[in-house]
Amino acid sequence: MVDQNITLACAVAVATSAVALAVLIRVAKPLGLIDLPDHRKRHRGSIPLVGGLAILIGALSGAWVLLRFDRFELMLLWTSALLLAVGVQDDRRDVSVRTRLLVQTGAILLMIVSTGVYVRTFGGGVELGWLGVPFTVLAVIGLLNAFNLMDGIDCLSGSLALVSIVALLLLSGADPIEGTAALLLLLACALAPFLLSNSGLLGPKWKCFLGDSGSTLLGYMLAWALIEFSQTGSTSLTPTATLWCVALPVMDTCAVMYRRLREGRSPFKPGNGHIHHLLVGAGLSPRVAVIVLIVFAIAMALLGALVRWLHLGVGSNIVAFCALMIGYIAISTRMYLRQRSPAFRRAHPERMPSSAKGDMAA
């Protein structure tokens, strides 16, 4: 039997998110939430950066209707709102990396202190002890920034978040009408209007972007859902199995950081070396590139389900994931180097972003 309360809450999340999106798009310019094209951004015209705000408003509205949350979910919503506020300010006028990291660290520590939830074990008897707290800080910051870095092409970051939510709910076996699982379901519903807008199917008048605020919000909420499901015993999901739910953002972030460090550049600087840039550089249209990456993310989640079904141990699970990540880094790095070779640039100047040269020296 379908739970009427969760159905109503999901409907409210979708409707509120859609209405918020329509209103925010109209007031984005006076609020200063506009993304303008530059040497690195190739979109046309000024695009409102209000997707994250609309998504959180939708999720909060659905949560208010459902009212089935304990301290963990309530603190997650409060700290998510805090990070969104900083992200909005970053979208308006750039906030320094140091300030963002300080706020993110503060929000994570507040979650740990107020809920007692953090990464205590990898499973298989591997306990972290006091190292679990700094590890949790690094893991959450890493994942929220991974989703932020993937937000470089229409519908990609939002679609990957949707794939992660579905994978997490299915692999964990969590009851979608209670607790963190219900919150994830509401987040997915609130995402739907944004994805429709961001895809351009509604026309240029209604197009908007997630903004740093939105991509950070998605990564942060997913990171804590992964931790809660794998560490509290609320589901049968193991800590290592969570990696498969967010495989693509994690692998691509590691690949980009590896290449930048090898070139002596800061891994935190923006650039055009992410997998979506490489696929477009290889000749795919942006829409086809998104489809390819969504299929890859789904394949990784299915592989995670297979690993879970085979009951592989913690060591085997980590080895399998790391082997795939090394292969991913090798292949994407080869694509990266090829596309930045003088011969490729001469043969395909139309595929090169205007900032490619700057990206090499940034």
Side-chain angles (χ1 to χ4, degrees), residues 53-69:
L53 274 170
I55 291 168
L56 183 61
I57 290 171
L60 285 173
S61 300
W64 181 78
V65 170
L66 193 59
L67 290 177
R68 289 182 181 171
F69 302 112

Side-chain angles (χ1 to χ4, degrees), residues 131-307:
L131 290 174
V133 172
F135 181 85
T136 300
V137 172
L138 292 175
V140 176
I141 288 177
L143 191 60
L144 70 86
N145 282 290
F147 272 90
N148 187 20
L149 293 171
M150 292 300 289
D151 187 30
I153 193 169
D154 288 347
C155 293
L156 181 56
S157 190
S159 296
L160 291 178
L162 199 57
V163 170
S164 295
I165 290 171
V166 174
L168 187 52
L169 291 176
L170 292 178
L171 286 177
S172 68
D175 188 346
I177 67 172
E178 299 289 346
T180 305
L183 193 57
L184 285 179
L185 187 58
L186 294 175
L187 181 64
C189 291
L191 255 173
F194 164 74
L195 289 174
L196 190 61
S197 168
N198 187 231
S199 68
L201 294 177
L202 299 179
K205 178 181 177 182
W206 299 105
K207 188 178 181 67
C208 73
F209 289 160
L210 266 178
D212 285 343
S213 56
S215 54
T216 296
L217 169 73
L218 295 178
Y220 181 77
M221 294 188 74
L222 276 167
W224 277 111
L226 292 168
I227 292 171
E228 201 268 343
F229 281 177
S230 65
Q231 299 293 321
T232 63
S234 59
T235 73
S236 59
L237 191 68
T238 62
T240 50
T242 61
L243 290 170
W244 300 101
C245 299
V246 289
L248 179 56
V250 169
M251 288 182 180
D252 194 61
T253 299
C254 290
V256 170
M257 292 182 71
Y258 163 75
R259 289 194 292 270
R260 290 177 181 174
L261 289 172
R262 195 176 76 163
E263 293 171 348
R265 297 189 290 142
S266 169
F268 302 107
K269 294 288 185 180
N272 290 294
H274 293 280
I275 188 61
H276 43 281
H277 299 124
L278 299 179
L279 291 179
V280 172
L284 299 184
S285 69
R287 185 157 296 182
V288 172
V290 168
I291 293 172
V292 168
L293 293 175
I294 291 173
V295 170
F296 180 84
I298 293 172
M300 290 295 99
L302 291 174
L303 188 55
L306 176 62
V307 168

